[in-house]
């Protein structure tokens, strides 16, 4: 091994730092230096330039991912309470547009770097906690206003502040003022009528059914030729409201009413009186204390064709159409009250009835 001790100056900084090394270690160090002394960096250092470009881009992407995750967490944290509030609301008061409105405000606030408070928060000194407490107090003070915005399944006499689930079913003592009206026959001979029953109590109640509609023949009307059926779309009673206007339940305020409409469509006319004259009654037999006339001015035994006891014999009506009618009645679901309407000149036909309708 060559002597390398003479190559190191005793007064140089390198020699001062290598005093503790053995001779073979110094020789190895010199050989390594000679092996790499001719190596130089390339002029087009592409790798270094790539690193200089890629590192800032990667850092920017990481920052964007962190900001996106923070925005998503803020969006979820504000949207879920709004959806829970809407789901806990009842009726049409649970407006999904409220949640969407709050969500859009929150999303806009996170993208602009602002707060996610509602636009009606006043002043920089207001806090979200105080705004929420104020909203809760306003809702407690005005519960009717929120419910008035909700539309129930019933109109025209429906209770705006209560739903069918809140108001109890109407009882017989709560329903009254039952009225009816009958119109004139139309060109086809059909007669239309309406029953109306009101809530006469001071409490709100719910009508749960249209009750019972019956038809009672009178005079020459034939009960076997009269029937009551429910009105359907495209039926013969074209003047009745479409069944889609009927409701299964209807909430009535005190004083409000509901309706049930009907139509009598005749199938045939009333029978005519036979042309044969009725058999004349037997001649009356005079009795004690009566005379058959004469100059004495005594009393007679009754009217013409009468019997000796003064009772008039019932004769057949004059020649023409026999008198017949149909009494149509509607009884409320709980058995009271009942309203009746008479359809004149009706002996055979069908009564078409509707369900519960809101009073017009």
């Amino acid at each position: 091994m060559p002597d390398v001790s003479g190559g190191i100056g005793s007064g140089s900084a390198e020699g001062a730092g290598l005093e503790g090394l053995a001779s073979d270690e110094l020789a190895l160090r010199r050989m390594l230096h000679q092996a790499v002394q001719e190596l130089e960096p390339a002029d087009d250092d592409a790798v270094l330039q790539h690193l200089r470009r890629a590192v800032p881009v990667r850092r920017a992407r990481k920052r964007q991912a962190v900001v996106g995750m923070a925005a998503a967490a803020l969006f979820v944290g504000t949207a879920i309470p709004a959806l829970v509030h809407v789901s806990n609301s009842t009726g049409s008061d649970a407006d999904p547009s409220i949640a969407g409105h709050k969500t859009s405000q929150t999303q806009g606030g996170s993208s602009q770097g602002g707060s996610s408070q509602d636009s009606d928060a006043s002043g920089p000194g207001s806090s979200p906690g105080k705004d929420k407490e104020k909203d809760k107090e306003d809702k407690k003070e005005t519960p009717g206003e929120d419910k008035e915005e909700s539309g129930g399944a019933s109109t025209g006499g429906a209770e705006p502040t209560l739903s069918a689930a809140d108001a109890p079913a109407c009882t017989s003592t709560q329903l009254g003022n039952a009225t009816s009206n009958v119109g004139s026959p139309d060109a086809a001979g059909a007669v239309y009528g309406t029953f109306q029953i009101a809530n006469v109590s001071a409490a709100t109640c719910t009508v749960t059914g249209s009750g019972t509609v019956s038809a009672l023949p009178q005079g020459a009307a034939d009960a076997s030729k009269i029937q009551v059926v429910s009105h359907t779309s495209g039926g013969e009673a074209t003047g009745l409201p479409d069944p889609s206007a009927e409701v299964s339940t209807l909430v009535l305020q005190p004083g409000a009413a509901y309706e049930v409409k009907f139509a009598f469509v005749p199938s045939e006319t009333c029978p005519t009186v036979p042309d044969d004259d009725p058999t004349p009654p037997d001649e009356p037999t005079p009795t004690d204390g009566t005379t058959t006339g004469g100059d004495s001015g005594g009393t007679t035994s009754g009217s013409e064709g009468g019997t000796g006891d003064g009772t008039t014999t019932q004769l057949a009506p004059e020649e023409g159409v026999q008198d017949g009618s149909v009494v149509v009645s509607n009884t409320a679901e709980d058995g009271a009250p009942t309203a009746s309407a008479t359809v004149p000149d009706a002996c055979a036909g069908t009564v078409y009835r509707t369900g519960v309708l809101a009073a017009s």
Side-chain angles (χ1 to χ4, degrees), residues 74 78 102 104-119 121 123-124 126-128 131:
L74 180 62
T78 53
K102 292 183 179 292
S104 62
Q105 288 183 345
T106 303
Q107 190 173 8
S110 61
S111 61
Q112 297 174 2
S115 64
S116 61
Q117 297 179 9
D118 293 340
S119 59
S126 60
S127 63
D131 294 338

Side-chain angles (χ1 to χ4, degrees), residues 19-201:
E19 293 178 355
L21 297 177
S23 60
D24 55 349
E25 293 177 348
L26 292 174
L28 179 60
R29 182 177 184 275
R30 181 175 293 178
M31 291 174 63
L32 293 175
H33 282 187
Q34 290 175 356
V36 299
Q37 65 182 357
E38 295 180 359
L39 295 178
E40 294 181 358
D43 295 337
D44 52 346
D45 193 358
V47 176
L48 182 59
Q49 296 296 331
H50 175 71
L51 292 176
R52 289 176 178 174
R53 291 193 305 269
V55 170
V57 172
R58 184 171 55 189
R59 290 176 179 175
R61 290 178 180 175
K62 287 183 179 180
R63 286 195 300 268
Q64 292 177 356
V66 172
V67 173
M69 293 176 63
L74 180 62
F75 172 79
V76 173
T78 53
I80 289 179
L83 293 175
V84 171
H85 172 71
V86 172
S87 63
N88 289 336
S89 303
T90 57
S92 60
D93 183 40
D95 191 354
S97 62
I98 297 177
H101 179 64
K102 292 183 179 292
T103 302
S104 62
Q105 288 183 345
T106 303
Q107 190 173 8
S110 61
S111 61
Q112 297 174 2
S115 64
S116 61
Q117 297 179 9
D118 293 340
S119 59
D120 57 353
S122 59
S126 60
S127 63
K130 293 181 179 179
D131 294 338
K132 292 180 180 179
E133 292 178 358
K134 182 178 179 181
D135 293 340
K136 291 181 180 179
E137 291 177 358
D138 293 341
K139 290 181 179 180
K140 290 180 179 179
E141 292 176 357
T142 58
E145 295 178 359
D146 295 337
K147 291 184 179 180
E148 286 179 357
E149 297 176 358
S150 64
S154 59
T155 57
E159 173 67 42
T161 58
L162 290 176
S163 64
D166 299 329
C170 296
T171 63
S172 58
T173 58
Q174 290 179 291
L175 298 178
N177 291 343
T179 59
S180 63
N181 64 77
V182 178
S184 301
D186 59 9
V191 178
Y192 293 88
T194 302
F195 300 112
Q196 190 173 91
I197 300 177
N199 178 7
V200 296
S201 68

